[in-house]
Amino acid sequence: MSAPAPRAVPHVPSPAQEPPAQGPSPQGPSTQEARTQQPPVLDRLRVGSAPDSWGVWFPDDDQQVPWQRFLDEVAQAQYEWIELGPYGYLPTDPAVLREETGRRGLKVSAGTVFTSLHHGPAVWDATWEHVSQVATLTQAMGARHLVVIPSFWRDDKTAEELEPRELTAEQWHHLTRGMERLGARVREEFGLGIVVHPHADTHIDTEEHVARFLDGTDADLVNLCLDTGHYAYCGGDSVRLIETYGERIGYLHLKQVDPDILADVVARGTPFGPAVRQGVMCEPPLGVPALPPVLEAAQALGVDLFAIVEQDMYPCPPDRPLPIAERTRRFLRSCGA
C-alpha cells in the first residue's frame, strides 16, 4: 500500500505568550490592567464534557476507565452536561442511566452515531438500525441532539487507505441527500436534531469540504457540530466558520491542537489515531485555536448552544483525565463560560 500523500501544512499560529507586566502601551492595556478586566458573560453556552475526555473511544475496552469512574469524576470536575459517548459504554437502560446521572447532578446533551451515507441507499438500513438504537436512549435521557460522525477514509491504526480521500460527485450527492433523509426521519420519529461533526480523516474535514457540505444540505434538516480541534487539525478557522455559517452551527465541541505536533503529523501523513497518541490534541489553553474568540463568536449568535469539552487522548493513564478536566473547567470559567 502506498502511503497517503501529505496534506499542505495549515497555517496554525503558536499560542500567544503572555508579555511581561509593563506600563500601558499603544497596543492596549498592560497585563496587570488586563487581569482586572472582567471576562464577558457567555450565558448562551452550556458547558459540559464527554467520555472522550476520559480516553473513551469504544463501548468496552480494558484501556478505558469504568463508566462509574467517568461519571464520578466528570461531576467532581463540576461539569453539568455529558454526552453518551460510544453506545454501550454508559448503561443503555434509561432507568439505570437516569438514576446514575441524576444522583450525580448530571444531564445528557447528546448521543453520537457513525455513518457512511456517501455509499448511497445500500447502507441505509444498517445506518438506521444503529441510529435508532442510539436515538432511543438519547430521547429517553431528555437530550435533543444527535452528533453524526462520518466514516473514516483510512484506518486510524494502520494508515491503510480504505477508500479515496476525495468523494466523487455522485458520492457527494449520496452524502448530502442521505444526511437530509436522516435529519428528517430522526426529527419525525424521535424529535431530535442532527448535528454533523467535521472530523479528521473523514470526507467532511477541511474548510472547502465543510462549506460544500453545508451549501449542499437543507438548513432545516442538517446542522453542524463544530469541533474546534478537528477543524484546526484540518486547517480551518473556527471563528470565520461561525461568522460565515452561524445559522448552521447547532453544537460545539471545544478542543485544541498542539501546533508543533500538528505540523509533524501533517508532514508525515500520520493517521488520526497515532496522531492522538502523539499528543496532537492538547489541554486548553496550551494549543490552538484560542478559545475565547471562538466562545465570544458563538455567544454573539444569540442562541443557546452546548459547548462540550473533548480532549482526544486514547489510550491514557486512568489518573490523567480528572486533573485536566478540572483545570479546563477553571479556564473556561475565566473566559466567562
Side-chain angles (χ1 to χ4, degrees), residues 105-318:
L106 298 171
K107 294 179 285 188
V108 174
S109 61
T112 301
V113 297
F114 298 86
T115 62
S116 55
L117 292 170
H118 63 286
H119 290 305
V123 302
W124 175 259
D125 288 344
T127 299
W128 183 248
E129 182 180 2
H130 165 61
V131 169
S132 60
Q133 188 179 47
V134 178
T136 297
L137 180 59
T138 302
Q139 179 194 51
M141 294 306 297
R144 300 298 301 273
H145 297 87
L146 274 185
V147 177
V148 181
I149 299 179
S151 57
F152 283 36
W153 57 261
R154 67 174 169 182
D155 189 278
D156 65 346
K157 295 181 179 178
T158 68
E160 177 187 359
E161 193 163 321
L162 305 173
E163 55 186 306
R165 68 175 64 194
E166 292 291 337
L167 296 178
T168 65
E170 181 182 24
Q171 288 174 320
W172 271 108
H173 177 78
H174 288 321
L175 175 62
T176 53
R177 297 293 80 78
M179 284 296 186
E180 289 176 338
R181 181 184 180 186
L182 186 67
R185 188 164 177 187
V186 164
R187 182 169 64 187
E188 177 183 350
E189 296 199 18
F190 297 100
L192 308 176
I194 68 168
V195 284
V196 178
H197 182 323
H199 196 292
D201 286 1
T202 76
H203 296 108
I204 307 176
D205 51 1
T206 62
E207 288 187 336
E208 177 186 0
H209 288 164
V210 169
R212 181 170 181 174
F213 176 76
L214 291 175
D215 291 343
T217 49
D218 185 341
D220 186 51
L221 298 173
V222 180
N223 281 308
L224 205 71
C225 169
L226 169 58
D227 184 302
T228 60
H230 280 278
Y231 202 51
Y233 184 103
C234 298
D237 183 323
S238 290
V239 172
R240 182 163 63 223
L241 182 65
I242 294 171
E243 292 175 346
T244 305
Y245 287 97
E247 74 284 356
R248 304 296 298 276
I249 306 299
Y251 202 92
L252 295 174
H253 280 172
L254 302 180
K255 188 178 298 178
Q256 287 190 322
V257 295
D258 181 309
D260 295 329
I261 296 177
L262 177 60
D264 179 77
V265 164
V266 172
R268 296 175 184 271
T270 306
F272 181 67
V276 167
R277 292 191 288 277
Q278 196 175 334
V280 71
M281 299 298 182
C282 63
E283 175 183 347
L286 304 177
V288 294
L291 290 182
V294 175
L295 297 171
E296 291 166 25
Q299 171 77 15
L301 295 176
V303 297
D304 292 335
L305 285 173
F306 285 107
I308 305 300
V309 175
E310 283 196 329
Q311 183 179 343
D312 297 317
M313 49 184 183
Y314 172 86
C316 69

